[in-house]
Amino acid sequence: ESPIFVKTFDLLKWVLKRTEKFPKSQRFFLAKRVNDTILDFYETLVRAAVRKEQTGTALKEADVLLTRLRHYVRLAVDMGYLSFRQYEYAAREITEVGKLLGGWIKKKA
């Protein structure tokens, strides 16, 4: 399996576990946004891998979703739903996934 899928899957599991602990008032707002974004990101990667003719479009969409995820995670920290240490971990992982995605985009260009 490609490293981007492994890294993204691990990040997905980590995010889902953390958003379960968001305050109840935020589980249907920010937690849902975070979860939907990372799940959409993963699905978009799968689409890019399966549908070769749409790879470029899917990868650009994935890049937007990853940027959105980065902002939502930052917001979760600012709101106090994630610790700074958790943010550091998430930011490192998102950056690593972003590098892998960037390499894939360059390869397809």
Side-chain angles (χ1 to χ4, degrees), residues 51-102:
R51 294 186 178 168
K52 302 295 182 192
E53 71 279 356
Q54 294 180 354
T55 299
T57 303
L59 293 178
K60 288 177 187 173
E61 182 182 339
D63 191 37
V64 170
L65 289 166
L66 193 60
T67 300
R68 189 183 313 167
L69 177 64
R70 186 176 281 118
H71 288 283
Y72 288 152
V73 168
R74 189 176 307 147
L75 178 60
V77 172
D78 287 349
M79 299 296 290
Y81 308 141
L82 292 174
S83 70
F84 186 73
R85 193 172 159 128
Q86 290 171 324
Y87 172 71
E88 287 178 321
Y89 174 80
R92 262 194 322 272
E93 294 302 304
I94 291 169
T95 298
E96 182 63 29
V97 169
K99 288 178 183 177
L100 294 168
L101 179 61

CSV table of all heavy atoms in Angstrom, one decimal, residues 51-102:
chain,number,residue,atom,x,y,z
A,51,ARG,N,-9.5,6.1,-10.5
A,51,ARG,CA,-9.9,6.7,-11.7
A,51,ARG,C,-8.7,7.5,-12.3
A,51,ARG,O,-8.6,8.7,-12.1
A,51,ARG,CB,-11.1,7.6,-11.5
A,51,ARG,CG,-12.3,6.8,-11.1
A,51,ARG,CD,-13.5,7.8,-11.1
A,51,ARG,NE,-14.7,7.1,-10.7
A,51,ARG,CZ,-15.8,7.7,-10.4
A,51,ARG,NH1,-15.9,9.0,-10.3
A,51,ARG,NH2,-16.9,7.0,-10.1
A,52,LYS,N,-8.0,6.8,-13.1
A,52,LYS,CA,-6.8,7.4,-13.6
A,52,LYS,C,-7.0,8.7,-14.5
A,52,LYS,O,-6.3,9.6,-14.4
A,52,LYS,CB,-6.0,6.4,-14.5
A,52,LYS,CG,-5.6,5.2,-13.8
A,52,LYS,CD,-4.6,5.4,-12.7
A,52,LYS,CE,-4.2,4.1,-12.0
A,52,LYS,NZ,-3.5,4.3,-10.8
A,53,GLU,N,-8.2,8.7,-15.2
A,53,GLU,CA,-8.5,9.9,-16.0
A,53,GLU,C,-8.8,11.1,-15.2
A,53,GLU,O,-8.7,12.2,-15.7
A,53,GLU,CB,-9.6,9.6,-17.0
A,53,GLU,CG,-11.0,9.4,-16.4
A,53,GLU,CD,-11.3,8.1,-15.8
A,53,GLU,OE1,-10.4,7.2,-15.9
A,53,GLU,OE2,-12.4,7.9,-15.2
A,54,GLN,N,-9.2,10.9,-13.9
A,54,GLN,CA,-9.6,12.1,-13.1
A,54,GLN,C,-8.5,12.3,-12.0
A,54,GLN,O,-8.8,13.1,-11.1
A,54,GLN,CB,-10.9,11.8,-12.4
A,54,GLN,CG,-12.1,11.7,-13.4
A,54,GLN,CD,-13.4,11.5,-12.7
A,54,GLN,OE1,-13.4,11.2,-11.5
A,54,GLN,NE2,-14.5,11.5,-13.5
A,55,THR,N,-7.4,11.7,-12.1
A,55,THR,CA,-6.4,11.9,-11.1
A,55,THR,C,-6.0,13.3,-10.8
A,55,THR,O,-6.0,13.7,-9.6
A,55,THR,CB,-5.1,11.1,-11.4
A,55,THR,OG1,-5.5,9.7,-11.6
A,55,THR,CG2,-4.0,11.2,-10.4
A,56,GLY,N,-5.7,14.1,-11.8
A,56,GLY,CA,-5.3,15.5,-11.6
A,56,GLY,C,-6.4,16.3,-10.8
A,56,GLY,O,-6.1,17.0,-9.8
A,57,THR,N,-7.6,16.2,-11.2
A,57,THR,CA,-8.7,16.9,-10.5
A,57,THR,C,-8.9,16.4,-9.1
A,57,THR,O,-9.0,17.2,-8.2
A,57,THR,CB,-10.0,16.7,-11.3
A,57,THR,OG1,-9.9,17.1,-12.7
A,57,THR,CG2,-11.2,17.4,-10.7
A,58,ALA,N,-8.8,15.1,-8.9
A,58,ALA,CA,-9.0,14.6,-7.5
A,58,ALA,C,-7.9,15.0,-6.6
A,58,ALA,O,-8.1,15.3,-5.5
A,58,ALA,CB,-9.1,13.1,-7.6
A,59,LEU,N,-6.7,15.0,-7.2
A,59,LEU,CA,-5.5,15.4,-6.3
A,59,LEU,C,-5.6,16.9,-5.9
A,59,LEU,O,-5.3,17.3,-4.8
A,59,LEU,CB,-4.2,15.1,-7.0
A,59,LEU,CG,-3.9,13.7,-7.2
A,59,LEU,CD1,-2.6,13.5,-8.0
A,59,LEU,CD2,-3.8,12.9,-5.9
A,60,LYS,N,-6.1,17.8,-6.8
A,60,LYS,CA,-6.3,19.2,-6.5
A,60,LYS,C,-7.3,19.3,-5.4
A,60,LYS,O,-7.2,20.1,-4.5
A,60,LYS,CB,-6.6,20.0,-7.8
A,60,LYS,CG,-5.5,20.1,-8.7
A,60,LYS,CD,-5.9,20.9,-10.0
A,60,LYS,CE,-4.8,20.9,-11.0
A,60,LYS,NZ,-5.2,21.4,-12.3
A,61,GLU,N,-8.4,18.5,-5.6
A,61,GLU,CA,-9.5,18.6,-4.5
A,61,GLU,C,-8.9,18.1,-3.2
A,61,GLU,O,-9.2,18.7,-2.2
A,61,GLU,CB,-10.6,17.7,-5.0
A,61,GLU,CG,-11.8,17.7,-4.0
A,61,GLU,CD,-12.9,16.7,-4.5
A,61,GLU,OE1,-13.0,16.4,-5.7
A,61,GLU,OE2,-13.7,16.3,-3.6
A,62,ALA,N,-8.1,17.1,-3.2
A,62,ALA,CA,-7.5,16.5,-2.0
A,62,ALA,C,-6.6,17.6,-1.3
A,62,ALA,O,-6.6,17.7,-0.1
A,62,ALA,CB,-6.7,15.3,-2.3
A,63,ASP,N,-5.9,18.4,-2.1
A,63,ASP,CA,-5.1,19.4,-1.6
A,63,ASP,C,-5.9,20.5,-0.9
A,63,ASP,O,-5.5,20.9,0.2
A,63,ASP,CB,-4.3,20.1,-2.7
A,63,ASP,CG,-3.2,21.0,-2.2
A,63,ASP,OD1,-2.5,20.7,-1.2
A,63,ASP,OD2,-2.9,22.0,-2.9
A,64,VAL,N,-7.1,20.8,-1.4
A,64,VAL,CA,-8.0,21.8,-0.8
A,64,VAL,C,-8.5,21.2,0.5
A,64,VAL,O,-8.5,21.9,1.5
A,64,VAL,CB,-9.1,22.2,-1.7
A,64,VAL,CG1,-10.2,22.9,-1.0
A,64,VAL,CG2,-8.6,22.9,-2.9
A,65,LEU,N,-8.9,19.9,0.5
A,65,LEU,CA,-9.4,19.3,1.7
A,65,LEU,C,-8.3,19.2,2.8
A,65,LEU,O,-8.6,19.4,4.0
A,65,LEU,CB,-9.9,17.9,1.4
A,65,LEU,CG,-11.2,17.8,0.6
A,65,LEU,CD1,-11.4,16.4,0.0
A,65,LEU,CD2,-12.4,18.3,1.4
A,66,LEU,N,-7.1,19.0,2.4
A,66,LEU,CA,-6.0,18.9,3.4
A,66,LEU,C,-5.8,20.3,4.0
A,66,LEU,O,-5.6,20.4,5.2
A,66,LEU,CB,-4.7,18.4,2.8
A,66,LEU,CG,-3.6,17.9,3.8
A,66,LEU,CD1,-4.1,16.8,4.7
A,66,LEU,CD2,-2.4,17.5,3.0
A,67,THR,N,-5.8,21.3,3.2
A,67,THR,CA,-5.7,22.7,3.8
A,67,THR,C,-6.9,23.0,4.7
A,67,THR,O,-6.7,23.6,5.8
A,67,THR,CB,-5.7,23.7,2.6
A,67,THR,OG1,-4.6,23.4,1.8
A,67,THR,CG2,-5.6,25.1,3.1
A,68,ARG,N,-8.1,22.6,4.3
A,68,ARG,CA,-9.2,22.8,5.2
A,68,ARG,C,-9.0,22.1,6.5
A,68,ARG,O,-9.3,22.6,7.6
A,68,ARG,CB,-10.5,22.3,4.5
A,68,ARG,CG,-11.7,22.7,5.2
A,68,ARG,CD,-13.0,22.2,4.6
A,68,ARG,NE,-13.1,22.4,3.2
A,68,ARG,CZ,-13.9,21.8,2.4
A,68,ARG,NH1,-14.8,20.9,2.9
A,68,ARG,NH2,-13.9,22.0,1.1
A,69,LEU,N,-8.6,20.8,6.5
A,69,LEU,CA,-8.3,20.1,7.7
A,69,LEU,C,-7.3,20.8,8.6
A,69,LEU,O,-7.5,20.9,9.8
A,69,LEU,CB,-7.8,18.7,7.3
A,69,LEU,CG,-7.5,17.8,8.5
A,69,LEU,CD1,-8.7,17.5,9.4
A,69,LEU,CD2,-6.8,16.5,8.1
A,70,ARG,N,-6.2,21.3,8.0
A,70,ARG,CA,-5.2,22.0,8.8
A,70,ARG,C,-5.9,23.2,9.5
A,70,ARG,O,-5.6,23.4,10.7
A,70,ARG,CB,-4.1,22.5,7.8
A,70,ARG,CG,-3.0,23.1,8.5
A,70,ARG,CD,-1.9,23.5,7.5
A,70,ARG,NE,-1.1,22.3,7.1
A,70,ARG,CZ,-1.0,21.8,5.9
A,70,ARG,NH1,-1.6,22.4,4.9
A,70,ARG,NH2,-0.3,20.7,5.6
A,71,HIS,N,-6.7,23.9,8.9
A,71,HIS,CA,-7.4,25.1,9.5
A,71,HIS,C,-8.4,24.6,10.6
A,71,HIS,O,-8.4,25.3,11.7
A,71,HIS,CB,-8.1,25.9,8.5
A,71,HIS,CG,-7.2,26.7,7.6
A,71,HIS,ND1,-6.5,27.8,8.0
A,71,HIS,CD2,-6.7,26.4,6.3
A,71,HIS,CE1,-5.7,28.3,7.1
A,71,HIS,NE2,-5.8,27.4,6.0
A,72,TYR,N,-9.1,23.6,10.4
A,72,TYR,CA,-10.0,23.1,11.4
A,72,TYR,C,-9.3,22.6,12.6
A,72,TYR,O,-9.7,22.8,13.8
A,72,TYR,CB,-10.9,21.9,10.9
A,72,TYR,CG,-12.0,22.4,9.9
A,72,TYR,CD1,-12.4,21.5,8.9
A,72,TYR,CD2,-12.5,23.7,9.9
A,72,TYR,CE1,-13.4,21.9,8.0
A,72,TYR,CE2,-13.5,24.1,9.0
A,72,TYR,CZ,-13.9,23.2,8.1
A,72,TYR,OH,-14.9,23.5,7.2
A,73,VAL,N,-8.2,21.9,12.4
A,73,VAL,CA,-7.4,21.5,13.6
A,73,VAL,C,-6.8,22.7,14.4
A,73,VAL,O,-6.9,22.7,15.6
A,73,VAL,CB,-6.2,20.5,13.1
A,73,VAL,CG1,-5.2,20.3,14.2
A,73,VAL,CG2,-6.8,19.2,12.6
A,74,ARG,N,-6.4,23.7,13.7
A,74,ARG,CA,-5.9,24.9,14.3
A,74,ARG,C,-7.0,25.5,15.1
A,74,ARG,O,-6.8,26.0,16.3
A,74,ARG,CB,-5.3,25.9,13.3
A,74,ARG,CG,-4.6,27.0,14.0
A,74,ARG,CD,-4.0,27.9,13.0
A,74,ARG,NE,-3.1,27.2,12.0
A,74,ARG,CZ,-2.9,27.6,10.8
A,74,ARG,NH1,-3.5,28.6,10.2
A,74,ARG,NH2,-2.1,26.9,10.0
A,75,LEU,N,-8.2,25.6,14.6
A,75,LEU,CA,-9.4,26.1,15.3
A,75,LEU,C,-9.7,25.3,16.5
A,75,LEU,O,-10.0,25.9,17.6
A,75,LEU,CB,-10.6,26.2,14.3
A,75,LEU,CG,-11.9,26.7,15.0
A,75,LEU,CD1,-11.7,28.1,15.5
A,75,LEU,CD2,-13.0,26.6,13.9
A,76,ALA,N,-9.6,24.0,16.4
A,76,ALA,CA,-9.9,23.1,17.6
A,76,ALA,C,-8.9,23.4,18.7
A,76,ALA,O,-9.3,23.4,19.9
A,76,ALA,CB,-9.8,21.6,17.2
A,77,VAL,N,-7.6,23.7,18.4
A,77,VAL,CA,-6.7,24.0,19.4
A,77,VAL,C,-7.0,25.4,20.0
A,77,VAL,O,-7.0,25.5,21.2
A,77,VAL,CB,-5.2,24.0,18.8
A,77,VAL,CG1,-4.2,24.6,19.8
A,77,VAL,CG2,-4.8,22.7,18.3
A,78,ASP,N,-7.3,26.4,19.2
A,78,ASP,CA,-7.6,27.7,19.7
A,78,ASP,C,-8.8,27.7,20.6
A,78,ASP,O,-8.9,28.5,21.5
A,78,ASP,CB,-7.8,28.7,18.5
A,78,ASP,CG,-6.6,29.0,17.8
A,78,ASP,OD1,-5.5,28.7,18.3
A,78,ASP,OD2,-6.6,29.6,16.7
A,79,MET,N,-9.8,26.8,20.3
A,79,MET,CA,-11.0,26.7,21.1
A,79,MET,C,-10.7,25.8,22.4
A,79,MET,O,-11.6,25.7,23.2
A,79,MET,CB,-12.1,26.1,20.3
A,79,MET,CG,-12.5,26.9,19.1
A,79,MET,SD,-13.1,28.5,19.5
A,79,MET,CE,-14.7,28.1,20.2
A,80,GLY,N,-9.6,25.2,22.5
A,80,GLY,CA,-9.3,24.4,23.6
A,80,GLY,C,-9.7,23.0,23.6
A,80,GLY,O,-9.7,22.3,24.6
A,81,TYR,N,-10.1,22.5,22.4
A,81,TYR,CA,-10.6,21.1,22.3
A,81,TYR,C,-9.4,20.1,22.0
A,81,TYR,O,-9.6,18.9,22.2
A,81,TYR,CB,-11.6,21.0,21.1
A,81,TYR,CG,-12.7,22.0,21.3
A,81,TYR,CD1,-13.3,22.6,20.2
A,81,TYR,CD2,-13.3,22.3,22.5
A,81,TYR,CE1,-14.3,23.5,20.3
A,81,TYR,CE2,-14.3,23.2,22.6
A,81,TYR,CZ,-14.8,23.8,21.5
A,81,TYR,OH,-15.8,24.7,21.6
A,82,LEU,N,-8.3,20.6,21.6
A,82,LEU,CA,-7.1,19.8,21.4
A,82,LEU,C,-6.0,20.5,22.2
A,82,LEU,O,-5.9,21.8,22.2
A,82,LEU,CB,-6.7,19.7,20.0
A,82,LEU,CG,-7.6,18.8,19.0
A,82,LEU,CD1,-7.1,18.9,17.6
A,82,LEU,CD2,-7.6,17.4,19.5
A,83,SER,N,-5.1,19.8,22.8
A,83,SER,CA,-3.9,20.4,23.5
A,83,SER,C,-2.9,20.8,22.4
A,83,SER,O,-2.9,20.4,21.3
A,83,SER,CB,-3.3,19.4,24.4
A,83,SER,OG,-2.7,18.3,23.7
A,84,PHE,N,-2.0,21.6,22.9
A,84,PHE,CA,-0.9,22.1,22.0
A,84,PHE,C,-0.1,20.9,21.5
A,84,PHE,O,0.3,20.8,20.4
A,84,PHE,CB,0.0,23.1,22.6
A,84,PHE,CG,1.0,23.7,21.7
A,84,PHE,CD1,0.6,24.6,20.6
A,84,PHE,CD2,2.3,23.3,21.7
A,84,PHE,CE1,1.5,25.1,19.7
A,84,PHE,CE2,3.2,23.8,20.8
A,84,PHE,CZ,2.8,24.7,19.8
A,85,ARG,N,0.1,19.9,22.4
A,85,ARG,CA,0.9,18.7,22.1
A,85,ARG,C,0.2,17.9,21.0
A,85,ARG,O,0.8,17.4,20.1
A,85,ARG,CB,1.1,17.9,23.3
A,85,ARG,CG,2.1,16.8,23.2
A,85,ARG,CD,2.3,16.3,24.6
A,85,ARG,NE,2.9,15.0,24.5
A,85,ARG,CZ,4.0,14.6,25.1
A,85,ARG,NH1,4.6,15.4,25.9
A,85,ARG,NH2,4.4,13.4,25.0
A,86,GLN,N,-1.1,17.8,21.1
A,86,GLN,CA,-1.9,17.1,20.1
A,86,GLN,C,-1.8,17.8,18.8
A,86,GLN,O,-1.8,17.2,17.7
A,86,GLN,CB,-3.4,16.9,20.6
A,86,GLN,CG,-3.6,16.0,21.7
A,86,GLN,CD,-4.9,16.0,22.3
A,86,GLN,OE1,-5.6,17.1,22.4
A,86,GLN,NE2,-5.4,14.8,22.7
A,87,TYR,N,-1.9,19.2,18.9
A,87,TYR,CA,-1.8,20.0,17.7
A,87,TYR,C,-0.4,19.7,17.0
A,87,TYR,O,-0.4,19.6,15.8
A,87,TYR,CB,-1.9,21.5,18.0
A,87,TYR,CG,-1.6,22.4,16.8
A,87,TYR,CD1,-2.5,22.4,15.7
A,87,TYR,CD2,-0.5,23.1,16.8
A,87,TYR,CE1,-2.2,23.2,14.6
A,87,TYR,CE2,-0.2,23.9,15.7
A,87,TYR,CZ,-1.1,24.0,14.6
A,87,TYR,OH,-0.8,24.8,13.5
A,88,GLU,N,0.7,19.7,17.8
A,88,GLU,CA,2.0,19.5,17.2
A,88,GLU,C,2.0,18.1,16.4
A,88,GLU,O,2.5,18.1,15.3
A,88,GLU,CB,3.1,19.4,18.3
A,88,GLU,CG,3.4,20.8,18.8
A,88,GLU,CD,4.4,20.7,19.9
A,88,GLU,OE1,4.4,19.8,20.8
A,88,GLU,OE2,5.3,21.6,20.0
A,89,TYR,N,1.4,17.1,17.0
A,89,TYR,CA,1.4,15.8,16.4
A,89,TYR,C,0.6,15.9,15.1
A,89,TYR,O,1.0,15.4,14.0
A,89,TYR,CB,0.8,14.7,17.3
A,89,TYR,CG,0.6,13.4,16.6
A,89,TYR,CD1,1.6,12.6,16.4
A,89,TYR,CD2,-0.7,13.1,16.1
A,89,TYR,CE1,1.5,11.3,15.8
A,89,TYR,CE2,-0.8,11.9,15.4
A,89,TYR,CZ,0.2,11.0,15.3
A,89,TYR,OH,0.1,9.8,14.6
A,90,ALA,N,-0.6,16.4,15.2
A,90,ALA,CA,-1.5,16.5,14.0
A,90,ALA,C,-0.8,17.4,12.9
A,90,ALA,O,-0.9,17.0,11.7
A,90,ALA,CB,-2.8,17.1,14.4
A,91,ALA,N,-0.2,18.5,13.3
A,91,ALA,CA,0.4,19.3,12.3
A,91,ALA,C,1.6,18.6,11.6
A,91,ALA,O,1.7,18.7,10.3
A,91,ALA,CB,1.0,20.6,12.9
A,92,ARG,N,2.4,17.8,12.3
A,92,ARG,CA,3.5,17.0,11.7
A,92,ARG,C,2.9,16.0,10.7
A,92,ARG,O,3.4,15.9,9.6
A,92,ARG,CB,4.2,16.3,12.8
A,92,ARG,CG,5.5,17.0,13.2
A,92,ARG,CD,6.4,16.1,14.1
A,92,ARG,NE,5.8,15.2,15.0
A,92,ARG,CZ,5.4,15.5,16.2
A,92,ARG,NH1,5.7,16.7,16.7
A,92,ARG,NH2,4.9,14.7,17.0
A,93,GLU,N,1.9,15.3,11.1
A,93,GLU,CA,1.3,14.3,10.3
A,93,GLU,C,0.6,14.9,9.0
A,93,GLU,O,0.8,14.4,7.9
A,93,GLU,CB,0.3,13.5,11.1
A,93,GLU,CG,0.9,12.6,12.2
A,93,GLU,CD,2.0,11.7,11.7
A,93,GLU,OE1,1.7,10.9,10.8
A,93,GLU,OE2,3.1,11.8,12.2
A,94,ILE,N,-0.1,16.0,9.2
A,94,ILE,CA,-0.7,16.7,8.1
A,94,ILE,C,0.4,17.2,7.1
A,94,ILE,O,0.2,17.0,5.9
A,94,ILE,CB,-1.6,17.8,8.5
A,94,ILE,CG1,-2.9,17.2,9.3
A,94,ILE,CG2,-2.1,18.7,7.4
A,94,ILE,CD1,-3.7,18.2,10.0
A,95,THR,N,1.4,17.7,7.6
A,95,THR,CA,2.5,18.2,6.8
A,95,THR,C,3.2,17.0,6.0
A,95,THR,O,3.4,17.1,4.8
A,95,THR,CB,3.6,18.9,7.6
A,95,THR,OG1,3.0,20.0,8.2
A,95,THR,CG2,4.8,19.3,6.8
A,96,GLU,N,3.3,15.9,6.7
A,96,GLU,CA,3.9,14.7,6.0
A,96,GLU,C,3.0,14.2,4.9
A,96,GLU,O,3.4,13.9,3.8
A,96,GLU,CB,4.2,13.6,7.0
A,96,GLU,CG,4.8,12.3,6.5
A,96,GLU,CD,6.2,12.6,5.9
A,96,GLU,OE1,6.9,13.5,6.4
A,96,GLU,OE2,6.5,11.8,4.9
A,97,VAL,N,1.7,14.1,5.2
A,97,VAL,CA,0.7,13.7,4.2
A,97,VAL,C,0.7,14.7,3.0
A,97,VAL,O,0.7,14.4,1.8
A,97,VAL,CB,-0.7,13.6,4.8
A,97,VAL,CG1,-1.8,13.4,3.7
A,97,VAL,CG2,-0.7,12.4,5.7
A,98,GLY,N,0.9,16.0,3.3
A,98,GLY,CA,0.9,17.0,2.3
A,98,GLY,C,2.1,16.9,1.4
A,98,GLY,O,2.0,17.1,0.2
A,99,LYS,N,3.3,16.5,2.0
A,99,LYS,CA,4.5,16.3,1.2
A,99,LYS,C,4.3,15.1,0.2
A,99,LYS,O,4.6,15.2,-0.9
A,99,LYS,CB,5.7,16.0,2.1
A,99,LYS,CG,6.2,17.3,2.8
A,99,LYS,CD,7.3,16.9,3.7
A,99,LYS,CE,7.8,18.2,4.5
A,99,LYS,NZ,8.9,17.8,5.4
A,100,LEU,N,3.6,14.1,0.7
A,100,LEU,CA,3.4,12.9,-0.1
A,100,LEU,C,2.4,13.2,-1.2
A,100,LEU,O,2.5,12.8,-2.4
A,100,LEU,CB,2.8,11.7,0.8
A,100,LEU,CG,3.8,11.1,1.8
A,100,LEU,CD1,3.1,10.2,2.7
A,100,LEU,CD2,4.9,10.4,1.1
A,101,LEU,N,1.4,14.0,-0.9
A,101,LEU,CA,0.4,14.5,-1.9
A,101,LEU,C,1.1,15.4,-2.9
A,101,LEU,O,0.8,15.2,-4.1
A,101,LEU,CB,-0.7,15.2,-1.2
A,101,LEU,CG,-1.8,15.8,-2.1
A,101,LEU,CD1,-2.5,14.7,-2.9
A,101,LEU,CD2,-2.8,16.6,-1.3
A,102,GLY,N,1.9,16.3,-2.4
A,102,GLY,CA,2.6,17.1,-3.4
A,102,GLY,C,3.5,16.3,-4.4
A,102,GLY,O,3.6,16.7,-5.5
